[in-house]
Amino acid sequence: MATDTPEPSATQLAQALVEFSLRGSFPEENVSSLPLKPDALAEAIKALADARAKLQAEIHAINEDTADDVRAWQTNAQSVQDDMIRSKALANEIIKTSEAPAVSGKDTHDAEAKAEFLVRELNYNAQVQEALKGIRTVNRTLDEVEKARDERRILDALHLLERSWKELDAIPVNKSCRAIKLLDIRAFELKSDVHEVFDHVWNTLINVDVEKHTVSMSSGRDDEPMSLSDAVIGLQAYKEVDRRTAQLWASLNAAVLVPRMDMERETLPGIQIQDNTLEVKGTTDKSVESLFTDLEKVFRFLVERLPGDLVETISPTLLPGVIHRVTSVWLDSAVPSSLNDMARFQQVIALAKSFCATLRKLGFTNLGDLQEWTESAPRVWLSKCREAALDAVRTKLSKGFGEPTRVEKIEKQMVSKSEGQKIAANGAAAVDDDGEGWGDAWGIGDDEPPKEEPKEVEKKAAAKPADDGEEDVADAWGWGDEAAEEEQLIEETRKKTEMEDEDPADAWGWGDDTNNDAPTATATATKSEPEIRELVLKETYSISSMPQPVLDLIAAIVEDGAALTQDRHASSPVAAAAAGLFGVPTLALALFRAISPHYYAPKEGGNMFLYNDATWLSEKLADFSATWKTRHDISTRAQNMLRLDNDVKALQGFANRAYTNELSLKKMMLRDRLGGEQNLLQLDDTESYVASAVSMVRSIALEWEPILAKSVWQQAVGSMVDALASKIVSDVMDLPSIGQEEAYNIAKHIASVEELDDLFLPRNGEVPLTAQFAGSWLRLKYLSEVLQSNLRDVRYLWMEGELSLYFGVEEVLDLIGASFEENARTREVVKEIRGNPRPRGE
């Protein structure tokens, strides 16, 4: 029985023939051993025809693409062949000529020319041959580059590329030659291809995932022929070392360092290493010790996995940023602003030094600020103390006034009985140096009334008013009238003391830069006369909540400075900062003076609060400095280090500037309400202008009353009243003429202004004290008298009254000329007044 043999597939047969024809490959045995039948040949022949057509099309396409090059090569080859034929003919002719040389000189010259031409042709042919060989060599080298690229042998590819460029430069052909250009383009395209492969391999060896906060590094992989060490060479070849290291640092910083070193986060993650992966994971505390531990992991990870050259390159980029963040954020936050927690500070210094040593062992040398921080603990701590002090001042001022506090000012003066009576008339609260009532001390009866107030303007400020429940101070003192001789003796003693005493302004500590608006006071004293006794003056005024914390801050700072001079702190790392610490109060007070006006200005009466606060602070600092010099619990060195005298003077001057600035501002506003530069009396509705100005003075007085001390309030309000009076007097004096009705209206306006007398009533309610605090007040009153008087009365006021004390001769004559008609009587009075410029004999 015959066995059935399967017929070979026509398609298998056709494919086997095509593969054999194109590539010379034999078919598999199961196909080649099969018998052929005639009906399968047709399809096989058709497949061969299709393959031939496809091959012809490809050849045609290639011919089309390279037609120009082929034609150029054909032309060059034909030219070379023609040159060779000519050279051969010339050679034959030269041989023939040499065998039978011609005797003519012309033939010899032609032969020499032909020989030179042949030499040049031979040289050219040799150059062409060398160029073709060079082109072939470069092309083969680039083929090797492609092969190395495909096999990811990056270093081999780079070396081959470098060799190809050298070979290309060695070809003795102009660089504009098309063949050279094509080779150059191919070389650069291959370099770009190799770079893409290099990027892939680099990212495989070093992978930083910012979102997952992981960093993976490996020196090499089994499936990659390039190692990290080879990658460094590649970076150098592409001149990308700086760029790659900068990218690596930025990615490492974003993925690991920033999350770990962000102190503003509520919880901080830790750093863990597993195999070749470093990741941010879990939680850790915010201690410096934990930070240094994690940073050591990071730097050790880099050193162990990166080539030394790469670590050395990345170090200048990585370290400065990390160290700056460590010192400026972590270490500075661990520095205490006082001597408290100094043990912890010493521990932090030790940890920082240990971290520096670890980094040096790992090969890092650019430690910069971190090394300096560990070696300058006193400077670091002193800087922190300065920053903390200045920040405390800023913070307190930014919180606002707080609740105002009433404080007491106590001043001791040596006064006579007459001076005590004047002070008592102003409502002063006073006791003698033994705490007894002044009446008992002087042995004067309680039933005697106080002496009448003098008409001169007093220079002494009024003291603190007594509480409503207290008995009359004048009665308590019991001062009465004494013999004229005794009064005269006391007065002479007081005047002598005033002449010998220092500048009265020095008693208040005011500097020379204040003007006449600043509060003034006088103090007189003598120990030689029994009638001169010490008077204790007490006043209360309001301060904000701002100066007390500043005073407490300064006290705490200098206490720390004093402690550092003690033996128990001799070994402290910040002992050397003691002297610098005593300079911090000056900075804090300078900042207070610089920025406090900004915070006080919006407050109603803010400048007066600023005056009170600065005055109170200067007095307390002066007392603190005086007490400091007498303390026995601090060293002599600490006693001598505290120097607040200049700061106290600066605060006093600052307080006075605040006071005078406020007065200047209010006076300018008051002047605007009185018509500004215009004459008030020539404006329409003068009465409303005057009423507005009077109302403003009363509102200002009401605003300042709960803030200022009584004496300062009187002088400040008195200055406002004086400005009002001066403006009216000046405007009246500027009038060219004053009619009877106009004089009546002016007197009426003055009368409405004189109602401000009720602001300066003493406690006994008798004579107002306005004239003591407003220098132009009596001028205003006498001006009103003159405007309401006839010529005879004006003469009497000048010759017999006190008009000459407040107006000059020319001023009075101008008023007469403006108010009265010129006649014989007027000229007689004018002549008499002009002839008596000082009728009271001053």
Side-chain angles (χ1 to χ4, degrees), residues 432-444:
D432 68 353
D433 52 355
D434 297 326
E436 300 178 352
W438 276 77
D440 297 336
W442 286 90
I444 303 174

Side-chain angles (χ1 to χ4, degrees), residues 343-362:
R344 174 58 183 165
F345 181 49
Q346 289 179 285
Q347 183 181 359
V348 170
I349 295 175
L351 290 172
K353 290 182 178 179
S354 176
F355 183 62
C356 285
T358 300
L359 290 180
R360 290 194 195 92
K361 290 180 181 179
L362 293 175

Side-chain angles (χ1 to χ4, degrees), residues 135-197:
I135 291 173
R136 182 180 62 185
T137 301
V138 172
N139 196 51
R140 289 176 178 175
T141 302
L142 294 179
D143 290 341
E144 294 180 22
V145 172
E146 288 185 348
K147 183 178 180 181
R149 176 201 63 190
D150 296 338
E151 296 174 357
R152 295 186 180 179
R153 293 183 288 108
I154 305 301
L155 288 185
D156 292 342
L158 292 175
H159 290 152
L160 289 171
L161 276 173
E162 185 177 0
R163 190 179 79 185
S164 69
W165 279 313
K166 291 180 179 179
E167 293 172 347
L168 200 58
D169 291 338
I171 297 176
V173 178
N174 192 291
K175 302 305 178 184
S176 60
C177 175
R178 179 176 175 78
I180 300 300
K181 287 183 178 180
L182 291 174
L183 290 174
D184 195 42
I185 292 172
R186 185 185 179 193
F188 275 102
E189 289 176 349
L190 285 174
K191 181 181 180 181
S192 178
D193 295 342
V194 172
H195 188 269
E196 291 179 2
V197 177

Side-chain angles (χ1 to χ4, degrees), residues 91-102:
N92 292 332
E93 186 175 351
I94 290 171
I95 293 172
K96 185 185 296 184
T97 304
S98 63
E99 292 176 351

Side-chain angles (χ1 to χ4, degrees), residues 566-608:
Q566 302 288 345
D567 293 339
R568 68 178 184 274
H569 287 285
S571 60
S572 173
V574 298
L581 204 59
F582 279 92
V584 175
T586 297
L587 298 178
L589 292 172
L591 180 66
F592 176 82
R593 296 194 302 272
I595 67 176
S596 56
H598 170 76
Y599 295 100
Y600 279 81
K603 174 75 174 177
E604 185 175 346
N607 279 330
M608 290 308 186

Side-chain angles (χ1 to χ4, degrees), residues 548-745:
Q548 183 65 54
V550 176
L551 179 63
D552 295 340
L553 173 67
I554 292 173
I557 291 172
V558 297
E559 287 291 347
D560 282 349
L564 287 178
T565 63
Q566 302 288 345
D567 293 339
R568 68 178 184 274
H569 287 285
S571 60
S572 173
V574 298
L581 204 59
F582 279 92
V584 175
T586 297
L587 298 178
L589 292 172
L591 180 66
F592 176 82
R593 296 194 302 272
I595 67 176
S596 56
H598 170 76
Y599 295 100
Y600 279 81
K603 174 75 174 177
E604 185 175 346
N607 279 330
M608 290 308 186
F609 265 111
L610 182 57
Y611 162 73
N612 283 350
D613 289 356
T615 300
W616 180 87
L617 187 57
S618 67
E619 292 172 353
K620 293 299 180 182
L621 287 174
D623 294 342
F624 178 82
S625 180
T627 304
W628 184 270
K629 303 297 184 183
T630 62
R631 287 178 56 176
H632 300 292
D633 58 335
I634 59 177
S635 65
T636 304
R637 180 185 171 204
Q639 288 180 340
N640 296 330
M641 281 182 177
L642 182 65
R643 299 174 181 174
L644 295 177
D645 295 345
N646 291 335
D647 297 316
V648 169
K649 291 180 181 178
L651 272 176
Q652 291 168 347
F654 175 71
N656 288 330
R657 285 193 297 274
Y659 176 90
T660 54
N661 288 343
E662 179 70 3
L663 280 183
S664 298
L665 176 62
K666 290 295 191 289
K667 285 181 180 180
M668 182 177 65
M669 296 169 60
L670 179 64
R671 188 173 183 84
D672 290 341
R673 291 202 180 192
L674 292 172
E677 298 300 324
Q678 303 179 73
N679 193 307
L680 171 66
L681 304 173
Q682 293 177 342
L683 298 175
D684 296 335
D685 198 11
T686 301
E687 184 177 356
S688 65
Y689 281 94
V690 174
S692 175
V694 172
S695 175
M696 178 182 175
V697 172
R698 290 189 178 277
S699 65
I700 291 174
L702 187 63
E703 174 186 317
W704 289 347
E705 187 172 15
I707 302 174
L708 298 174
K710 182 66 175 179
S711 61
V712 180
W713 178 86
Q714 287 175 324
Q715 294 184 60
V717 176
S719 181
M720 297 298 299
V721 173
D722 182 70
L724 173 57
S726 297
K727 170 66 174 173
I728 294 176
V729 172
S730 175
D731 287 351
V732 171
M733 300 301 296
D734 288 341
L735 292 175
S737 63
I738 304 174
Q740 184 176 0
E741 183 179 356
E742 188 175 8
Y744 171 78
N745 290 332

